[in-house]
Amino acid sequence: MLNGKKIVVVMPAYNAEKTLEKTYNEIYKDIVDEIILTDDKSSDNTKDLAKDLNITTIVHKENKGYGANQKSCYIAALKANADIIIMLHPDYQYTPKLIPAIASMLAFEEYDTVIASRMLSNPLAGGMPLYKYIANKFLTLFQNIFLNQNLSEYHTGYRGFTRKVLENLPLKDCDNDFIFDNEMLALVKYYGYKTGEISCPTKYFPEASSINFMRSCKYGFGVLDVSIKYFLAYLGIYKSKIFKNSAKKLNINEELPFYHNK
């Protein structure tokens, strides 16, 4: 709890058995009120370890994708009456030690959304592949132009939101794969919410999840597509599905696939 706000950390997981406990142990339990993990049908023992750690656990009956996994996270957090929701990957690529700083920026109502940016530090020193660094810089420049923003990156998986953001953004119609992250930040800007940034050290190692070159290329083209669709919607020329008034919001009453409460 911080400034009277309930803090919930959500962890979208896929084959995170080797890193989950280390990630969990570094979460500040004196600030975080609840931790929720969604397992996207891992082939390892992620869900069993999460239960052993007494983490509230949701298990997908089939692999639905990174975006769909996040949707389950956010629905569960809203069901748990969270005021502040922080998404942390359980692969230990992002340090849990930044949670208090992210939570403070949201709990004291300075920002509606906060992203932990790798590009504000030295990502190459942390092991980020050169091609990913260059692609990140290019895509971020493109997005800043088309979204009229000045963020250092849009591609981090470490981010926090206030409850009103998750309740009001039409996330149900967003992609179920990796482009979900990008659509979400485009919608944050489209709906007029404030986004803050905090510097986050970069860690690349074998157990940390990362998409391969081909999937990175697919993601890159998806980012360009989202940015152009945002720009067209902003100008009122064409509104694609997620930018229409009919786009669907998350349904807090939706029954989650399998729910294990601690």
Side-chain angles (χ1 to χ4, degrees), residues 18-83:
K18 293 180 179 179
T19 54
L20 172 57
E21 187 167 6
K22 190 173 184 179
T23 303
Y24 172 80
N25 287 338
E26 289 191 12
I27 295 174
Y28 290 94
K29 314 300 189 301
D30 55 339
I31 290 179
V32 175
D33 298 285
E34 186 170 352
I35 302 168
I36 299 172
L37 179 140
T38 58
D39 180 76
D40 199 26
K41 197 173 174 55
S42 296
S43 58
D44 64 5
N45 294 316
T46 297
K47 65 179 184 297
D48 298 316
L49 176 58
K51 293 174 186 177
D52 290 342
L53 293 171
N54 214 25
I55 298 172
T56 300
T57 308
I58 297 160
V59 182
H60 285 172
K61 296 177 181 178
E62 58 185 26
N63 185 270
K64 295 186 174 184
Y66 174 63
N69 210 14
Q70 278 193 64
K71 293 174 189 179
S72 291
C73 278
Y74 298 141
I75 291 171
L78 293 174
K79 283 178 178 285
N81 297 314
D83 297 302

Side-chain angles (χ1 to χ4, degrees), residues 132-149:
K132 288 194 174 186
Y133 176 83
I134 295 172
N136 193 315
K137 284 288 191 181
F138 168 76
L139 292 172
T140 296
L141 175 62
F142 187 92
Q143 289 173 277
N144 277 333
I145 293 171
F146 276 77
L147 274 67
N148 191 29
Q149 288 204 116

Side-chain angles (χ1 to χ4, degrees), residues 22 61 88-89 115 134 136 151 180 190 197-198 201 205 259:
K22 190 173 184 179
K61 296 177 181 178
L88 171 69
H89 290 179
I115 60 174
I134 295 172
N136 193 315
L151 298 180
F180 174 89
Y190 189 74
E197 292 185 280
I198 186 171
F205 54 97
Y259 194 71

